[in-house]
């Protein structure tokens, strides 16, 4: 984000606002509901699973951080608005605060939105990883499963574990890239995004 007080602040990348809303207000609640549903199944039919207790713990943790993602997204959303929104709220001919104060307030609010959205994204990403880990444990076959059943369930558990580890690696790589870009922007005098 530029420090130039004559400019409106913009999200980086420009489509990040829509993407974060989809994650925090659509995907996270659906995934949180799936976590609770699986915890209910594990609680009532735990004898049909190899590790119901650890799976319930991971799924409950996933539920909590996915709900945190929703909460961060909700609280961040109040800080996300555009110059077009301001024009709609203060139409031509209406009393309007000074343009410089509107720009300063909008730049401050975009910074707050970025900070809270980043925390919500971290919670969402960790929820995905914890959900994958919990599902991996759910898929492990119970003791005494037939060979064919055990092979299928171990294969499914392995696929889920590999996918969860790939997601974790994707998250960590993205965080390293973001921090490197922020550092470059700060050293170039562009200000960068505020740290979480």
């Amino acid at each position: 984000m530029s420090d130039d007080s004559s400019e409106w602040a913009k999200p980086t990348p420009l489509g990040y606002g829509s993407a974060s809303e989809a994650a925090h207000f659509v995907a996270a609640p659906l995934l949180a509901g799936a976590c609770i549903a699986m915890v209910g199944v594990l609680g009532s039919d735990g004898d049909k699973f190899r590790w119901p207790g650890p799976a319930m713990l991971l799924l409950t943790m996933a539920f909590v951080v996915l709900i945190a993602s929703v909460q961060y997204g909700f609280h961040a959303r109040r800080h996300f608005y555009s110059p077009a929104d301001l024009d709609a709220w203060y139409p031509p001919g209406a009393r309007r605060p000074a343009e410089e104060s509107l720009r300063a307030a909008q730049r401050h609010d975009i910074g707050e939105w970025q900070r809270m959205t980043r925390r919500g994204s971290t919670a969402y990403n960790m929820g995905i990883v914890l959900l994958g880990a919990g599902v991996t444990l759910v898929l492990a076959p119970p003791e005494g499963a037939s060979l064919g059943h055990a092979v299928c369930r171990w294969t499914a558990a392995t696929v889920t574990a590999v996918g969860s580890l790939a997601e974790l690696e994707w998250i960590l790589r993205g965080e390293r890239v973001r921090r490197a870009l922020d550092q470059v922007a700060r050293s170039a005098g562009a200000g960068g995004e505020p740290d979480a």
Side-chain angles (χ1 to χ4, degrees), residues 60-102:
T60 301
M61 290 168 60
F63 169 78
V64 169
V65 296
L66 287 166
I67 293 301
S69 170
V70 173
Q71 289 297 320
Y72 274 120
F74 171 77
H75 290 289
R77 184 61 182 95
R78 67 184 170 180
H79 296 284
F80 188 66
Y81 54 91
S82 70
D85 292 325
L86 290 171
D87 288 341
W89 299 330
Y90 299 107
R95 280 183 50 122
R96 181 177 173 116
E99 200 74 11
E100 297 80 31
S101 66
L102 287 174

Side-chain angles (χ1 to χ4, degrees), residues 7-128:
E7 295 181 10
W8 295 102
K10 300 178 252 336
T12 305
L14 289 176
Y16 193 67
S18 297
S20 75
E21 287 193 9
H24 301 307
F25 302 133
V26 178
L30 290 173
L31 294 171
C35 290
I36 289 302
M38 281 190 275
V39 167
V41 169
L42 289 165
S44 64
D45 286 331
D47 58 324
K48 295 182 177 133
F49 299 92
R50 183 174 289 258
W51 300 300
M56 288 173 80
L57 175 62
L58 289 170
L59 292 168
T60 301
M61 290 168 60
F63 169 78
V64 169
V65 296
L66 287 166
I67 293 301
S69 170
V70 173
Q71 289 297 320
Y72 274 120
F74 171 77
H75 290 289
R77 184 61 182 95
R78 67 184 170 180
H79 296 284
F80 188 66
Y81 54 91
S82 70
D85 292 325
L86 290 171
D87 288 341
W89 299 330
Y90 299 107
R95 280 183 50 122
R96 181 177 173 116
E99 200 74 11
E100 297 80 31
S101 66
L102 287 174
R103 282 190 175 116
Q106 191 259 354
R107 280 192 310 280
H108 174 268
D109 284 341
I110 285 286
E112 285 297 300
W113 171 79
Q114 288 172 326
R115 183 180 62 81
M116 284 197 265
T117 299
R118 183 170 296 134
R119 289 180 181 175
S121 294
T122 299
Y124 177 79
N125 290 333
M126 290 312 302
I128 297 290

